[in-house]
């Protein structure tokens, strides 16, 4: 098993990277988010990897962070989610967003990924409900505001978390409207994500 590669970046496209390690070029398939996080060609970088071996092929997948590497393994443990779908999901959602979508039951968020239909999205949420929190080392402290300096109230913190996940201010406000402001921030976020999922 190759855990990670550190070396000079020889080539980079939105879905592939080649790393020179000791004179050997390792090609890895990557999500577009990793492509965006990598430095310019010629610079030294590290890819956290997952190697899949089958009868006819040996494939290497690379990620900019350990969290993305772990999430790829978790996603591909779901029946019907292969490496291609796993990369597609990680191309449109970072690990923290995936974890929140799963915990909030927002299966429709996964349909933004190429090749992931409603049925597969529902299966992902169902099968990962108990896995993501236990296995993913993502820093998801939902009891505090996402950004330092954000307002301390639960509603404001929840709104900041939702906008930090890519939702617009209007979407965040609509999702939080009518919720009990005395609820913990984590509960507000989960209820808001559930509401967003139902409206899509």
């Amino acid at each position: 098993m190759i855990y990670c590669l550190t070396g000079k970046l020889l080539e980079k496209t939105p879905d592939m990277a080649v790393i020179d390690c000791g004179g050997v070029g390792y090609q890895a398939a990557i999500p577009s988010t990793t492509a965006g996080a990598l430095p310019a060609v010629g610079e030294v970088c590290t890819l956290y990897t997952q190697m899949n071996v089958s009868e006819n092929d040996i494939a290497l997948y690379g990620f900019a962070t350990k969290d993305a590497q772990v999430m790829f393994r978790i996603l591909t443990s779901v029946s019907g989610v292969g490496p291609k779908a796993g990369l597609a999901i990680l191309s449109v959602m970072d690990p923290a967003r995936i974890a929140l979508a799963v915990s909030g039951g927002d299966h429709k968020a996964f349909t933004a990924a190429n090749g992931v239909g409603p049925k597969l999205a529902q299966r992902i949420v169902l099968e990962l409900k108990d896995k993501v929190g236990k296995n993913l080392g993502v820093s998801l402290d939902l009891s505090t505001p996402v950004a330092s300096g954000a307002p301390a109230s639960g509603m404001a913190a929840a709104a900041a978390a939702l906008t930090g996940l890519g939702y617009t201010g209007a979407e965040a406000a609509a999702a939080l409207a009518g919720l009990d402001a005395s609820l913990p921030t984590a509960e507000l976020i989960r209820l808001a994500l559930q509401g967003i999922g139902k409206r899509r």
Side-chain angles (χ1 to χ4, degrees), residues 33-59:
T33 48
T34 289
L38 289 175
V41 170
E43 298 292 324
V44 173
C45 65
T46 295
L47 274 184
Y48 296 93
T49 57
Q50 171 71 25
M51 185 170 64
N52 286 7
V53 180
S54 65
E55 290 184 8
N56 303 314
D57 188 33
I58 297 177

Side-chain angles (χ1 to χ4, degrees), residues 8 101 111 117 122 159 162 177 185-186 192:
K8 182 184 293 185
T111 61
Q122 290 175 7
L162 292 170
T185 301

Side-chain angles (χ1 to χ4, degrees), residues 143-159:
S143 64
T144 58
V146 169
S148 59
S153 73
M155 278 292 196

